[in-house]
Amino acid sequence: MALQLNRAAIKAVLVDLSGTLHIENEATYGAVEALERLKSSGIVVRFLTNTTKESKNYLHERLTKCGFCLKKNDIFTSLTVSRQYIENHHLNPLLLLEDAALEDFEGLPRNTGEINAVVVGLAPSKFDYESMNQAFRVLMNGADLIAIHKGRYYSRGDGLALGPGPFVSALEFATGRTATVMGKPEKNFFRSALVGLNCEPHEALMIGDDVRDDVEGALLAGFKAILVRTGKFRQGDENRSSIPPTAVCENFASAVDFILTKQN
């Protein structure tokens, strides 16, 4: 399944990480070599991730151990965007985040005033009753609810696992509040990743395993998008986007082959 792609018109490729480039501490098949081929083609490569369990430093270290060669500054995370939002809106947040992710929020101006925001990422160790109830009470006092993303589930070594989305939805249901979402599939998140690249959305392509957050989100933002059959992909996902994917490929390496050989 593939639509027409003009290789010469692609200036930038944005790559999802978990489930696409790697699964936990293992690179997906052929991904290390494929990334090097893509970078050597002259196409700009950036990494666009909703990963919120760990900071950019932790994530970069994990990817390096998987065998990838990439610059930390080329990793664009929803944690980074969330921190910028907190600073721009002068928020004093309650952070429902794993300890490994808190590094990206170090140095935030803190004050002793009332907590006026709840920030939720993927934080399995924090999704217990008391922590969720604390967040509920803060929200009921008028705080803003900020979802770093609302991913429904993700792929880990032992199979699929719940993402932060169900827990954000639980807080929305209990409080009647609507979360402000920072990461994929928000249009602004995709487009902000192009800042400084001299690249328009129609000249960029997204590769990911999530038909909703990676593929449909990118397509609605004006990008092209390739869905890969790794990570959280399930049979039939290719038909679950309101706009058909540019292509569906077996894995990241196959997606790179598709991009580099397509001359139409």
Side-chain angles (χ1 to χ4, degrees):
M1 173 183 176
L3 302 178
Q4 191 175 66
L5 178 70
N6 182 352
R7 156 70 178 82
I10 300 300
K11 292 184 178 180
V13 171
L14 306 181
V15 183
D16 172 56
L17 294 178
S18 179
T20 300
L21 211 59
H22 72 103
I23 297 174
E24 293 194 337
N25 296 318
E26 296 288 334
T28 56
Y29 179 77
V32 173
E33 297 78 11
L35 179 59
E36 290 307 306
R37 287 191 288 116
L38 183 60
K39 291 193 298 183
S40 66
S41 72
I43 295 174
V44 177
V45 181
R46 273 192 175 173
F47 306 92
L48 195 63
T49 179
N50 271 347
T51 298
T52 60
K53 281 182 65 179
E54 53 196 9
S55 69
K56 186 184 289 190
N57 281 331
Y58 273 87
L59 187 55
H60 182 258
E61 183 178 348
R62 181 193 293 269
L63 292 167
T64 300
K65 288 180 178 178
C66 286
F68 295 106
C69 181
L70 69 165
K71 297 177 181 177
K72 185 167 62 177
N73 287 341
D74 288 335
I75 302 173
F76 196 79
T77 79
S78 50
L79 288 174
T80 302
V81 173
S82 299
R83 180 188 175 118
Q84 291 170 351
Y85 184 89
I86 291 168
E87 290 178 329
N88 292 341
H89 290 80
H90 308 291
L91 298 177
N92 185 33
L94 168 67
L95 300 173
L96 280 185
L97 298 171
E98 290 293 338
D99 291 343
L102 291 176
E103 179 182 0
D104 282 354
F105 293 86
E106 287 180 356
L108 272 179
R110 303 293 292 178
N111 59 65
T112 56
E114 185 176 9
I115 293 174
N116 57 8
V118 174
V119 178
V120 184
L122 179 57
S125 69
K126 305 295 175 67
F127 289 150
D128 59 274
Y129 182 84
E130 290 304 326
S131 296
M132 291 290 287
N133 200 48
Q134 180 188 12
F136 163 75
R137 289 176 174 175
V138 171
L139 292 168
M140 290 299 286
N141 284 333
D144 294 333
L145 176 57
I146 299 168
I148 297 181
H149 68 94
K150 289 184 73 176
R152 296 165 293 173
Y153 53 88
Y154 68 104
S155 178
R156 63 186 192 189
D158 61 351
L160 296 180
L162 285 174
F167 300 93
V168 174
S169 294
L171 291 171
E172 288 180 317
F173 175 76
T175 63
R177 311 297 294 271
T178 300
T180 299
V181 182
M182 297 287 104
K184 296 179 289 186
E186 298 302 300
K187 289 182 181 180
N188 287 340
F189 184 61
F190 284 101
R191 292 175 177 173
S192 60
L194 298 182
V195 172
L197 298 186
N198 191 29
C199 176
E200 296 298 322
H202 69 273
E203 299 172 314
L205 183 146
M206 177 77 199
I207 303 175
D209 66 318
D210 188 318
V211 68
R212 175 179 171 270
D213 289 353
D214 294 328
V215 174
E216 187 175 49
L219 292 167
L220 291 173
F223 293 57
K224 296 173 178 60
I226 295 177
L227 177 65
V228 292
R229 295 188 176 97
T230 54
K232 67 174 63 175
F233 175 87
R234 289 296 177 267
Q235 195 64 37
D237 278 356
E238 64 271 24
N239 300 316
R240 296 190 176 104
S241 173
S242 60
I243 308 173
T246 305
V248 180
C249 295
E250 199 62 30
N251 51 36
F252 173 74
S254 297
V256 170
D257 288 339
F258 176 81
I259 295 167
L260 297 184
T261 59
K262 206 68 175 170
Q263 300 293 336
N264 294 329

